[in-house]
Amino acid sequence: MARHKKTSDSEMLQGTLDMLILKTLVMGPAHGHTIAHVIEQASEDFLQVEQGSLYPALHRLEDRGWLSSFWGASENNRKARFYKLTAAGKRQLAQETSRWRQIVRAIGLVIGEEEA
Amino acid sequence: MRMLRFFFRKRIAEELQREIDEHIELERDLNLERGLNQEEAVRQARIKFGSRQRVREEIWTSNSMMLFEKLRRDLSYAVRTLLRSPGYTILAVITLALGIGANTAIFTVINGVLLRPLPYSDPGRIMHLEQTAIRVGRDRIGFSVQEVQDYRQQAQSFSDLAEYHSMTFTLLGAKVPERVVTGVISANYFDVLGIKPVLGRLIHPSDEKLNAPPVLVLSYAYWVKEFGADPKILGKPFIMKRSGAHRDWSFASFAGVPRCQRCLHAHHIVSFPL
């Protein structure tokens, strides 16, 4: 039972992973590890990202021009690859966010009010 | 952008490896803070990350271009297979090389000689006449003066007739005496063929009269080769000698240079009227 739930959760998550990554980077550049943790913590530990799947997503976003990357120093002064939101990325984030809210609202309407 | 990724695949993969390692280390450090021992920290970090191999594969694949990949692999396979039976491969290569080489050579010759249009004006209408006396032999024999006259007067299908005879003379007046292959031509030769001179003039019917001073026309190739395209050659006297002939021809003036780089008779033509 628990295993089922996890699968469907993470499936939904993958679809929106791009959006979550872009949102995380609004507050400034970060490297992969930080992004993973921020997503976890900001969602009150509900969204458990499989950290490995982060990197193909980051690679893809960079390729589309929504992110740019550079090598910099991490917290403990080791070399890490940082990702930064680009202007195009900001626009993309706004687009995806509004789309997401529309979807959520529509689904909410279909499902009906939450029984208290 | 995509193309660049393809060519830098290897470097991207290396950097990715470093990135992944860094990530694991950071997670391990967190785990150490949480109180796990060294081994457990690393292990948990790796579990949380997921399959590193899969991540690497995924990114590598997204950087590849399927078409190139498949092509490259097929070619590589073909080469390997051929190398496994070297005798066969060598034989095939040699055969192909001979075939292609022979073809190219033959075509080049034919192209140069046959297929390219002659550099005269209106080359489609030029005819070359020869005759043989079957009873005497198979070699060409020339036309006698009377025969030429007859042709000139009686032939209906030709707009004009020019004569050409090839002889060899020794030319004096150049840097060294040289044997030149010479075309002995009728005065209207150049007119019939429609050739224009580069320098000076070509031969005119007036040169054919008995008292006219003999003139010489140099072929373009010879002019460039021997005299370096020197324009002062106009009017320079030459002497043409022929061994065994009953007289030497001495030329007061040298008329001109026909403008044709690749004439049908493109040896050192030095032409003078009959």
Side-chain angles (χ1 to χ4, degrees):
Chain A
M1 194 56 179
R3 202 169 283 150
H4 272 303
K5 235 169 139 196
K6 185 172 182 226
T7 321
S8 70
D9 276 351
S10 54
E11 268 169 16
M12 258 185 26
L13 181 56
Q14 294 291 41
T16 56
L17 191 55
D18 291 0
M19 191 172 64
L20 295 174
I21 293 176
L22 291 174
K23 180 69 175 149
T24 310
L25 289 174
V26 165
M27 292 178 295
H31 56 83
H33 188 251
T34 312
I35 297 175
H37 273 273
V38 165
I39 294 180
E40 248 182 55
Q41 284 158 10
S43 70
E44 295 170 8
D45 277 350
F46 185 77
L47 297 174
Q48 300 271 345
V49 186
E50 188 180 59
Q51 294 179 337
S53 62
L54 208 54
Y55 287 98
L58 285 167
H59 193 75
R60 200 171 8 106
L61 291 175
E62 187 182 358
D63 192 56
R64 296 227 181 109
W66 297 333
L67 299 181
S68 64
S69 75
F70 55 92
W71 284 92
S74 67
E75 298 88 36
N76 38 12
N77 255 331
R78 276 212 284 267
K79 250 184 89 168
R81 193 192 200 112
F82 281 79
Y83 294 88
K84 194 171 88 128
L85 199 60
T86 62
K90 276 205 194 92
R91 287 197 295 271
Q92 181 66 18
L93 174 61
Q95 230 182 319
E96 286 198 28
T97 313
S98 83
R99 178 123 183 90
W100 172 258
R101 292 201 214 277
Q102 285 173 342
I103 292 177
V104 166
R105 183 175 161 271
I107 295 178
L109 286 176
V110 172
I111 292 182
E113 286 290 336
E114 189 181 336
E115 271 116 5
Chain B
M1 204 46 195
R2 271 213 103 206
M3 292 284 291
L4 284 177
R5 280 199 307 166
F6 175 75
F7 288 115
F8 289 115
R9 270 185 315 179
K10 207 149 171 251
R11 187 148 63 105
I12 292 178
E14 281 163 6
E15 288 188 345
L16 179 68
Q17 181 62 46
R18 272 196 289 166
E19 220 182 325
I20 293 178
D21 289 340
E22 278 300 317
H23 184 118
I24 303 273
E25 279 182 23
L26 285 168
E27 186 66 22
R28 177 203 65 189
D29 290 345
L30 276 183
N31 284 341
L32 286 174
E33 280 173 29
R34 287 183 196 131
L36 277 78
N37 65 16
Q38 185 76 8
E39 256 185 65
E40 220 17 57
V42 175
R43 192 172 148 264
Q44 288 295 337
R46 288 203 182 136
I47 291 177
K48 190 131 194 253
F49 189 83
S51 163
R52 282 171 293 163
Q53 186 60 21
R54 197 165 62 81
V55 171
R56 283 206 296 263
E57 276 176 14
E58 223 178 292
I59 293 192
W60 177 268
T61 315
S62 79
N63 281 344
S64 307
M65 288 200 283
M66 273 332 283
L67 188 62
F68 275 10
E69 271 306 294
K70 286 186 176 161
L71 189 62
R72 197 186 57 78
R73 262 185 240 147
D74 283 343
L75 281 176
S76 166
Y77 177 68
V79 171
R80 274 200 315 259
T81 315
L82 283 179
L83 285 178
R84 252 187 266 145
S85 43
Y88 171 79
T89 308
I90 291 177
L91 205 59
V93 169
I94 290 180
T95 309
L96 280 172
L98 283 176
I100 295 176
N103 242 304
T104 312
I106 292 176
F107 179 75
T108 310
V109 170
I110 292 186
N111 186 36
V113 173
L114 232 44
L115 293 176
R116 285 215 260 137
L118 299 170
Y120 307 125
S121 58
D122 212 358
R125 296 174 56 198
I126 295 180
M127 297 272 132
H128 181 115
L129 283 174
E130 295 167 353
Q131 65 178 6
T132 61
I134 301 185
R135 296 211 184 160
V136 176
R138 292 180 120 209
D139 293 326
R140 291 180 295 169
I141 61 176
F143 295 87
S144 71
V145 175
Q146 188 58 46
E147 279 172 327
V148 173
Q149 289 280 48
D150 289 345
Y151 271 107
R152 273 225 172 87
Q153 282 157 5
Q154 295 168 23
Q156 309 274 358
S157 18
F158 296 108
S159 61
D160 208 344
L161 219 55
E163 298 153 58
Y164 173 86
H165 178 53
S166 179
M167 299 172 80
T168 317
F169 287 84
T170 308
L171 180 67
L172 304 172
K175 286 182 283 194
V176 260
E178 197 177 334
R179 289 187 73 78
V180 289
V181 180
T182 306
V184 180
I185 55 174
S186 64
N188 60 349
Y189 182 81
F190 291 112
D191 291 330
V192 167
L193 291 179
I195 298 176
K196 303 257 181 322
V198 165
L199 191 61
R201 66 168 180 85
L202 294 172
I203 292 172
H204 287 330
S206 59
D207 294 316
E208 219 166 31
K209 302 213 183 62
L210 269 112
N211 306 332
V215 285
L216 208 54
V217 172
L218 227 50
S219 80
Y220 190 81
Y222 190 63
W223 180 46
V224 170
K225 188 170 95 107
E226 280 302 307
F227 303 101
D230 179 13
K232 291 201 288 285
I233 217 168
L234 228 45
K236 183 172 160 178
F238 284 96
I239 298 183
M240 297 259 272
K241 283 168 115 63
R242 183 172 148 83
S243 53
H246 57 272
R247 81 178 240 207
D248 294 335
W249 301 80
S250 149
F251 293 84
S253 73
F254 154 55
V257 176
R259 177 201 185 67
C260 80
Q261 301 269 48
R262 217 199 93 251
C263 286
L264 201 51
H265 312 291
H267 22 254
H268 308 317
I269 271 198
V270 174
S271 310
F272 58 87
L274 294 164

